[in-house]
Amino acid sequence: MSARTHHGQALVRPHPGGGLLAERAKMELDYGRRPTEGFVFGALQPHTGECLTHTYERRNIATFVDFLDRIEAWISQDVERIYVVLVN
């Protein structure tokens, strides 16, 4: 989600009673997709605080498997179990 302002319009009007308070600025919410989208995959090792992130142009099985390969190379060999959390 991103917010866009209404260009060329008065965004804030004075309070009708003439006091010091004013209305909140108005913004149009934009839920549209962008033609230049990208996807960020990330991993965290909670016990050390280390993070691994990688960006991809697409989100498909090939990029997911590639990221899992990167995680496998990144974590130490003595780690017995990892947990995967997928968020859309």
Side-chain angles (χ1 to χ4, degrees), residues 25-73:
K26 304 279 192 289
M27 293 190 157
E28 173 187 349
L29 295 178
D30 180 16
Y31 295 100
R33 297 238 176 195
R34 303 288 182 269
T36 57
E37 61 187 29
F39 300 95
V40 179
F41 287 60
L44 168 69
Q45 293 188 33
H47 61 283
T48 63
E50 292 181 83
C51 296
L52 171 71
T53 58
H54 192 73
T55 57
Y56 294 95
E57 291 183 14
R58 297 188 183 341
R59 185 179 60 187
N60 54 29
I61 191 67
T63 57
F64 185 64
V65 170
D66 179 70
F67 188 68
L68 290 178
D69 289 339
R70 290 175 187 270
I71 291 175
E72 188 173 20

